[in-house]
Amino acid sequence: MQLLNFPTYSFRFKNSENKVSIFDSIRKKFILLTPEEWVRQHVVEFLLNEKKYPKSLINVEKVVKVNGMNKRYDVIVFNSDGSIFLLIECKAPEVKIDQKTFDQIARYNLILNAQYLMVTNGLNHYFCEMDFENEKYTFLKELPEFNNS
């Protein structure tokens, strides 16, 4: 797998029928290793190790209804009150992050109302803080530390 723009983490792998899987510590199971999954697992480790977000408040790949259609978000971090602190969209490293990617996460966030957004392909990371009152977002240099209020 490709080297990503994250610190180095150690992962558990499993090989069966010539397919490699990676252990997801949030979902507590092995997931088929795709380029996007490789990015998603790095994001989860980044949240746990660098940002110190509690594992119990992280959710991975769940269905959300957007315009009546079932969509899947990649990663969410909840606040302790159940509201959504952070919504993350992961793309494979070869996928260029463009306006379409931001439109996708913005559509998801119309329903989820996350305070912060992160878009990454493992090489480039973009962080935004939502301003719901003025219906816009501001780009940040990095994600805030977790605040358990």
Side-chain angles (χ1 to χ4, degrees):
M1 278 285 151
Q2 183 172 352
L3 203 61
L4 301 178
N5 186 12
F6 283 105
T8 305
Y9 302 114
S10 58
F11 295 102
R12 285 172 47 204
F13 298 98
K14 182 173 85 174
N15 200 335
S16 70
E17 298 169 27
N18 291 333
K19 288 185 169 61
V20 177
S21 296
I22 187 168
F23 189 76
D24 182 318
S25 64
I26 303 300
R27 291 179 275 185
K28 294 183 174 53
K29 63 181 182 180
F30 281 94
I31 307 293
L32 185 65
L33 184 57
T34 62
E36 183 180 323
E37 191 61 45
W38 183 236
V39 172
R40 190 167 24 251
Q41 292 306 315
H42 276 79
V43 165
V44 167
E45 291 303 313
F46 171 76
L47 296 174
L48 294 170
N49 295 296
E50 313 321 314
K51 292 298 174 182
K52 307 295 184 212
Y53 294 174
K55 187 185 270 191
S56 62
L57 296 179
I58 299 174
N59 209 315
V60 176
E61 278 225 303
K62 291 280 195 273
V63 172
V64 61
K65 270 214 185 305
V66 180
N67 297 331
M69 294 171 22
N70 284 343
K71 300 289 185 181
R72 279 185 181 275
Y73 61 73
D74 285 304
V75 182
I76 275 185
V77 179
F78 290 96
N79 288 304
S80 40
D81 68 3
S83 63
I84 298 174
F85 177 74
L86 170 65
L87 171 61
I88 302 170
E89 179 60 33
C90 301
K91 297 294 184 194
E94 68 273 9
V95 175
K96 188 174 172 295
I97 298 201
D98 56 13
Q99 189 59 48
K100 231 170 64 180
T101 315
F102 283 99
D103 292 347
Q104 178 186 1
I105 198 169
R107 276 194 307 277
Y108 290 10
N109 206 37
L110 285 172
I111 286 113
L112 298 169
N113 295 317
Q115 187 179 350
Y116 295 95
L117 305 177
M118 175 181 177
V119 175
T120 182
N121 61 5
L123 305 172
N124 300 302
H125 317 303
Y126 300 93
F127 312 110
C128 308
E129 182 173 13
M130 294 304 300
D131 176 353
F132 292 106
E133 211 169 282
N134 298 304
E135 296 182 356
K136 65 185 180 103
Y137 48 81
T138 309
F139 282 93
L140 305 171
K141 286 197 189 319
E142 62 179 79
L143 287 174
E145 294 296 316
F146 183 74
N147 181 359
N148 197 11
S149 57

